[in-house]
Amino acid sequence: MSHILVVEDESAIAELISINLRHAGFEVTIAATAEQAQAAVDGALPDLIILDWMLPGQSGLSLAKRWRSEARTRELPVIMLTARADEDDKIQGLDAGADDYLTKPFSTKELMARIRAVLRRKAPEALDSVVEVGALKIDPATRRVSRGDMDVKVGATEFRLLHFFMTHPERVHSRAQLLDRVWGDHVFIEERTVDVHVKRLREALGPVQCAQMIETVRGAGYRLTQQGGVGVVSTTKPQSQAA
Ligand code: CA
């Protein structure tokens, strides 16, 4: 289930947003201050953050800047909320690294649409859309993995791992990043846990000739690549592709 952190000190607004998000199937955490928000992020990376500009103490704006400056949180999707409608403020918010910006009062319908748009762009693993890489297809809604008319049987963790790989193909992910994004825990789970589940995932993909799609990148982590699977199923590589 996708997780959204709502950082808002006005409890009525925080509640209204949360009710709508939960109704749409998201898991929600509410933080009323920048400190609470930081503590929540330190614990587990959410899929998206809705961040109010005006908070008691540290502002939402400085929080957004801080997240953008740190490697672990740099890619976090952030939608800023504010009562300010000035063009200058909007530019400041976007400069601070917000992915989108909504001025209060806003309709929850618009907020939901913006959330989906930002997730599609930055965290597609948080959405239920069918994803295809090469001949491999994954459907989060029905929890099915298939190649053509062949089903692939995978465990729950391997499914989440494969879904993350398939929504971020060709990119190398470190074990720590995978723990953060797939397990939601980068502190208490050992990095070799990732290796165990990658091994199981490859075993599950073996029968449909897609195990090679999951590449080990020495000293860096893992990557899902289209090249590794379909297209190189034959054992002899054409000369032109040998690089
Ligand atoms: Ca506020």
Side-chain angles (χ1 to χ4, degrees), residues 8-10 52-56 104:
E8 168 62 85
D9 60 309
E10 286 160 82
D52 186 30
W53 180 311
M54 295 300 285
L55 295 168
K104 292 177 188 172

Side-chain angles (χ1 to χ4, degrees), residues 52-63:
D52 186 30
W53 180 311
M54 295 300 285
L55 295 168
Q58 192 188 356
S59 74
L61 190 71
S62 71
L63 203 50

Side-chain angles (χ1 to χ4, degrees), residues 133 164-173 223-226:
V133 177
F164 182 77
F165 277 137
M166 288 180 71
T167 47
H168 301 80
E170 311 299 336
R171 280 173 58 178
V172 181
H173 309 284
R223 141 174 85 201
L224 178 132
T225 170
Q226 195 170 332

